[in-house]
Amino acid sequence: MEVTRRDLIRGSATILAVGSLNLSSSAREKDPLPSWNDGPAKQAILDFVKTTTDKSNPKFVPPDERVAEFDQDGTLWVEHPLYTQIIYCLDRVGPLVREKPELKESEPFKTVLSGDREAIAQLSARELFEILLATQSGMTVEEFSADVKSWLATAKDPRWKRPYTDLTYLPMQEVLKYFRANGYKNFIATGGSTGFVRASSQQDYGIPSEQVAGTSQAFTYGYNKGGQPILTREPKLVLNNLGAGKIENFWLMYGRRPYAAFGNSSSDDQQILEYVKAGTGARLSVVLMHDDATREYAYGPAHGLPDTKVGTLSQAMYDQAKAQGWTVISMKNDWKQIFTWEK
Amino acid sequence: MEVTRRDLIRGSATILAVGSLNLSSSAREKDPLPSWNDGPAKQAILDFVKTTTDKSNPKFVPPDERVAEFDQDGTLWVEHPLYTQIIYCLDRVGPLVREKPELKESEPFKTVLSGDREAIAQLSARELFEILLATQSGMTVEEFSADVKSWLATAKDPRWKRPYTDLTYLPMQEVLKYFRANGYKNFIATGGSTGFVRASSQQDYGIPSEQVAGTSQAFTYGYNKGGQPILTREPKLVLNNLGAGKIENFWLMYGRRPYAAFGNSSSDDQQILEYVKAGTGARLSVVLMHDDATREYAYGPAHGLPDTKVGTLSQAMYDQAKAQGWTVISMKNDWKQIFTWEK
C-alpha cells in the first residue's frame, strides 16, 4: 500500500516535470530536498512552494508576502533530552557564582553546583526559570552574544561528542534553502531566549537576527564607566514566546500571518500551526514527529512519554493535524539522512 | 562665506567623481538626492553611503549588516500641529461611542465629541493615551489594519487639503531609496502605534511591516463565533517606543545597532541617535530641524516654543549634535523641495 502510494507520487512528479517545458533541464532534474524520502510530507512541501510561486495559480503569493515561520528546538535542531539553552545556562552558573558568591549556598544554584545530575533533572520549571534569568542578565547585549558564541564554539553534546550547532537537521536546512530560493523570508519563532538564538542564527540557518523572535527579557539603556551608551540585559520577562504567545508576539514583531509554519510535537507550536493553516489561500502547517529512537530520539509531547497510540505525537495534536490538513513529518520514515556529518 | 563652503563641497564632489573611474558614467552623473541643496547635510549622507559600501575602505559594512533606522512623525512625514495617528483616534471616537454608548457622557470622550477644538487641544497626555487605547482595541488585527487604510484613503489634512500620505517628505523618500539601492535594510522606529504605521509603510516608504517597530499593544489569541482563530487588539501597553524605549525595543525586535539613524528635534530620538553614533566604524546620526515656517512649520522640541537661540532645536540636542558629530538638517536650507506635489 505504501509502495503504491509512493509510486503514484513519483508518477505525478514525472508528469509535472515533463509538463513544465519552460523549466531548464537542470531545474527539472535537481531535487531541492535530497535528504527526504519521497512521500506525502515531502510532496506537500514541494506542492506548497510550487503553488504559491506560480503566477498562473489562483493561490499565487506575491514575493513581498512570502513569510515562513520555523520553530527552533526540536524542529531545526535536537532538543532532547534538554534544550541546548538550558545546558548553556547550567554551565553559566559556575561563572555567575564566582561573580556573586552569595548565591553559592542558595537554591537552585546550590543544586546545580553539586553536579548531581539526578537532582538537577528534578529542578522545577520555576527554579529553571530563575536560573535562566540569573545567568542571562547583568551584561551588555554584546557581551551576552559574545559569550553564547564562545560557548557554542567549545561545548559538546554528550551523545554525539559534537558541537551543538552540528545537531541541526539536514532535511530542514534543505527546506530553509528551498524556501529562500523561492523568495520566502524565513523567520524563527522560538520559546528560547531571542538573544541566545540570534547569536548563531545567521551562521546556522542563514536567518538574520531581525528575523528571530523568541522569549525576551528587558533591556535597559544606560552608560558605562567611560560614558558610552549601553544596553544591559535585565532579569525581567517582556515577551513570553510559548504557546499562544508565539503567534501573538509574531504579530507584534512582524505584523504578518505566515504562509507556512514548521513546529514539532511540543504543544507550544499548536496555536501558531493552527493560526497559519486557518489563513486564506495556500497555507502549510507542518509538525515534526520525533519517532526515530535509533538515529535521534523517540519522545512525545512535553518530553514526557507518548500519551497515545499514534506514538510520539499527542492524540489531540494528531487529530487536529488530520482534521485541518496539517502535514506530519515522521523523522524515521521521511528523512533519509538526519545530520550533515552522518553516513 | 556660505557660498565659499558650498563651492568647496561641489569642488570635492567633482574630484571624487573624476577619481571614481570604475563607475559608469550614468552613475557618476546621476544625483541620488536631487531634492537636496548641496551642503554639509547632503554631503554627510553621500559620504556615509560611499564609505560603508566601498570594499577597499576600512569602514566598509558587509551587506548583511547594513541597517538604517528612521523615525516617522516629523522625520518621514509631517507631524505638526498634531500627530496623524492622534487625528485618526479622535475621528474614531464617534464610531466607538456608537458601539459603546455608555462612553458618551464620560471624559475624555465627551470633550472629543463636543468638537470644541480648544478643549480638545487641552486634553492631558493621560487622556489622549486613554483615547488611543480605547479606539485601537477590541477588533482583530486585520480589522484594525483595514480601518486605518480606509481612513488614510479619505481623511485630509486641513492645511493642504490632501491625504496625509501625501505629506511624506520627498527628500527623505530619496534617502530611503538611496539607502535601499546601496544594500541597506530600512527600518522605522516610531513612537506611534506599530499597527497604524504598518498599515501603509510598504506603500508609503517601501518598508515592509516586519521592519516597523512602534509602541505596541497586547494581542490576545482566541476564536471567533465561527471557531476560526483570531488575534484581538487589547487595551494594554506592551512596548513603549518613546525615548530610551526606542533603542531598547529596537534591540528586542531586531538585535541590531543601526549604522544610520534619522530623527527630528523631538527628544524621543535623543537616545537612539546617541547610541547609533557611539558604535564602531562609520555611523551616521541625523537630526531634522523644523525651521521652515513658510513651506512646512517652524517649531521646537515637544512641539512647544523653541527654548534656545539655535531656533527650532533644543540647546541640549544641538550641543550634543555638535559635540558628537551628528548631522543637522535644516529643512529651510537643505531641502530644495519638500513634497512631491509641490512646485
Side-chain angles (χ1 to χ4, degrees):
Chain A
M1 185 64 185
E2 211 184 347
V3 174
T4 309
R5 192 192 171 95
R6 281 199 190 153
D7 286 347
L8 275 174
I9 290 162
R10 276 206 198 97
S12 26
T14 310
I15 292 164
L16 270 172
V18 172
S20 313
L21 291 174
N22 54 342
L23 283 181
S24 75
S25 71
S26 75
R28 242 181 293 144
E29 283 155 23
K30 207 177 168 187
D31 178 358
L33 304 175
S35 301
W36 292 67
N37 289 315
D38 289 338
K42 178 176 182 172
Q43 199 56 46
I45 295 168
L46 294 171
D47 287 348
F48 168 80
V49 171
K50 214 167 271 177
T51 300
T52 57
T53 57
D54 171 4
K55 271 195 178 165
S56 69
N57 194 302
K59 292 180 175 173
F60 173 74
V61 176
D64 278 356
E65 294 173 27
R66 291 185 198 154
V67 166
E69 179 274 338
F70 298 84
D71 169 57
Q72 186 190 36
D73 296 302
T75 300
L76 295 179
W77 72 351
V78 175
E79 67 174 353
H80 201 75
L82 271 177
Y83 295 125
T84 305
Q85 193 196 342
I86 294 203
I87 304 170
Y88 165 77
C89 291
L90 293 175
D91 277 5
R92 259 38 205 157
V93 168
L96 175 68
V97 164
R98 278 196 288 282
E99 262 179 57
K100 297 182 179 177
E102 68 275 16
L103 295 176
K104 208 171 170 176
E105 293 303 316
S106 73
E107 292 295 357
F109 306 100
K110 197 176 165 182
T111 297
V112 176
L113 292 169
S114 74
D116 178 346
R117 293 190 140 224
E118 215 147 300
I120 294 170
Q122 297 300 317
L123 289 172
S124 68
R126 198 194 175 127
E127 287 171 315
L128 276 178
F129 187 65
E130 197 182 328
I131 293 167
L132 291 181
L133 281 186
T135 53
Q136 299 183 99
S137 302
M139 67 291 282
T140 67
V141 292
E142 291 90 353
E143 285 163 355
F144 178 70
S145 179
D147 191 65
V148 173
K149 278 181 191 157
S150 102
W151 183 83
L152 285 172
T154 53
K156 286 188 178 170
D157 169 81
R159 174 172 166 188
W160 287 287
K161 320 268 185 272
R162 288 184 167 270
Y164 290 97
T165 50
D166 275 9
L167 304 188
T168 64
Y169 304 132
L170 176 61
M172 290 305 297
Q173 293 281 12
E174 292 171 359
V175 170
L176 291 172
K177 271 185 208 136
Y178 178 48
F179 270 68
R180 197 161 33 232
N182 280 280
Y184 274 88
K185 219 180 208 183
N186 296 331
F187 291 76
I188 290 177
T190 173
S193 288
T194 317
F196 183 83
V197 181
R198 282 177 178 166
S200 65
S201 64
Q202 179 70 50
Q203 200 179 317
D204 296 345
Y205 309 114
I207 296 181
S209 76
E210 62 269 25
Q211 287 161 225
V212 175
T215 294
S216 299
Q217 292 174 226
F219 304 118
T220 301
Y221 188 77
Y223 302 88
N224 65 13
K225 283 174 192 166
Q228 291 300 300
I230 51 170
L231 289 169
T232 305
R233 293 177 61 90
E234 299 294 336
K236 189 188 151 200
L237 189 70
V238 178
L239 301 177
N240 179 342
N241 221 42
L242 299 169
K246 199 174 264 200
I247 179 61
E248 289 163 357
N249 296 330
F250 197 89
W251 198 280
L252 185 147
M253 290 180 67
Y254 309 123
R256 301 271 199 187
R257 185 194 301 246
Y259 275 84
F262 290 76
N264 73 96
S265 44
S266 139
S267 59
D268 283 321
D269 291 311
Q270 186 257 327
Q271 291 91 341
I272 197 166
L273 291 170
E274 172 182 81
Y275 188 77
V276 164
K277 195 67 192 175
T280 53
R283 304 277 173 167
L284 180 72
S285 285
V286 183
V287 62
L288 169 58
M289 191 157 73
H290 291 269
D291 58 355
D292 195 326
T294 312
R295 297 186 299 166
E296 203 232 14
Y297 297 101
Y299 58 92
H303 298 196
L305 288 173
D307 65 350
T308 76
K309 56 190 175 201
V310 291
T312 59
L313 198 61
S314 78
Q315 187 67 49
M317 198 109 157
Y318 189 80
D319 290 347
Q320 183 167 12
K322 288 286 145 191
Q324 297 181 350
W326 303 4
T327 298
V328 178
I329 301 172
S330 158
M331 211 170 210
K332 195 174 170 179
N333 300 321
D334 288 315
W335 288 1
K336 214 177 278 179
Q337 185 180 342
I338 296 186
F339 303 111
T340 327
W341 40 269
E342 223 179 34
K343 250 181 186 174
Chain B
M1 184 64 185
E2 209 183 349
V3 173
T4 309
R5 190 189 173 98
R6 283 198 188 153
D7 286 348
L8 274 173
I9 291 161
R10 278 206 195 99
S12 25
T14 311
I15 290 164
L16 270 170
V18 171
S20 314
L21 290 174
N22 55 341
L23 283 179
S24 75
S25 71
S26 75
R28 240 182 296 145
E29 283 157 23
K30 207 176 168 188
D31 178 359
L33 304 175
S35 301
W36 291 68
N37 288 315
D38 290 336
K42 177 176 183 174
Q43 199 56 46
I45 295 168
L46 294 172
D47 287 348
F48 169 79
V49 171
K50 214 166 273 177
T51 300
T52 57
T53 56
D54 172 4
K55 271 194 179 166
S56 69
N57 194 303
K59 293 182 174 174
F60 173 74
V61 176
D64 279 356
E65 294 173 26
R66 291 185 199 155
V67 166
E69 179 273 338
F70 297 84
D71 169 58
Q72 187 191 35
D73 296 301
T75 299
L76 294 179
W77 73 350
V78 175
E79 66 175 353
H80 201 75
L82 270 178
Y83 294 125
T84 305
Q85 191 196 343
I86 295 205
I87 304 170
Y88 165 77
C89 291
L90 293 174
D91 276 5
R92 258 40 205 156
V93 168
L96 175 70
V97 164
R98 278 195 289 281
E99 262 179 58
K100 297 183 179 176
E102 69 273 18
L103 294 177
K104 209 171 169 175
E105 294 302 318
S106 72
E107 290 298 355
F109 306 100
K110 196 175 166 182
T111 297
V112 176
L113 292 169
S114 75
D116 177 345
R117 294 191 139 223
E118 212 148 304
I120 294 170
Q122 295 299 317
L123 289 172
S124 68
R126 201 195 173 123
E127 286 170 315
L128 276 179
F129 186 65
E130 196 182 332
I131 292 167
L132 291 181
L133 280 186
T135 52
Q136 299 184 98
S137 302
M139 66 293 281
T140 67
V141 291
E142 290 90 353
E143 285 164 357
F144 178 69
S145 179
D147 191 66
V148 172
K149 278 180 190 156
S150 102
W151 183 82
L152 285 173
T154 52
K156 287 191 176 168
D157 169 81
R159 173 171 167 189
W160 288 287
K161 319 263 185 271
R162 287 182 167 270
Y164 290 98
T165 50
D166 275 10
L167 305 188
T168 65
Y169 304 132
L170 175 61
M172 290 305 297
Q173 294 280 12
E174 291 170 359
V175 170
L176 291 172
K177 271 186 208 135
Y178 178 49
F179 270 67
R180 198 160 34 232
N182 281 280
Y184 274 87
K185 219 179 206 183
N186 295 331
F187 291 77
I188 290 177
T190 173
S193 287
T194 316
F196 183 83
V197 181
R198 282 178 178 164
S200 65
S201 64
Q202 179 71 50
Q203 199 180 318
D204 296 346
Y205 309 115
I207 296 180
S209 76
E210 62 270 24
Q211 289 162 221
V212 175
T215 294
S216 300
Q217 292 174 225
F219 304 119
T220 301
Y221 189 76
Y223 302 89
N224 65 15
K225 284 175 191 165
Q228 291 300 300
I230 51 170
L231 289 170
T232 306
R233 294 176 60 91
E234 299 295 336
K236 189 188 150 198
L237 188 70
V238 178
L239 302 177
N240 179 341
N241 222 42
L242 299 170
K246 197 173 264 199
I247 179 62
E248 290 163 356
N249 296 328
F250 197 89
W251 198 281
L252 185 148
M253 291 180 66
Y254 309 123
R256 302 271 199 187
R257 187 198 298 250
Y259 276 83
F262 290 76
N264 73 93
S265 45
S266 138
S267 59
D268 284 320
D269 291 311
Q270 187 257 326
Q271 291 91 340
I272 197 165
L273 291 170
E274 172 181 81
Y275 189 77
V276 164
K277 195 65 193 177
T280 53
R283 305 276 172 167
L284 180 72
S285 285
V286 183
V287 61
L288 169 57
M289 193 158 74
H290 291 269
D291 59 355
D292 194 326
T294 312
R295 296 186 300 167
E296 202 231 14
Y297 296 102
Y299 58 93
H303 299 196
L305 289 174
D307 65 350
T308 74
K309 56 189 175 201
V310 291
T312 59
L313 199 61
S314 78
Q315 185 68 48
M317 198 110 158
Y318 189 81
D319 289 347
Q320 184 167 11
K322 288 286 147 190
Q324 298 181 349
W326 304 3
T327 297
V328 177
I329 302 171
S330 157
M331 210 171 211
K332 194 173 171 181
N333 300 321
D334 288 314
W335 288 0
K336 214 177 276 177
Q337 186 179 341
I338 295 185
F339 303 110
T340 327
W341 41 268
E342 220 180 36
K343 249 181 187 175

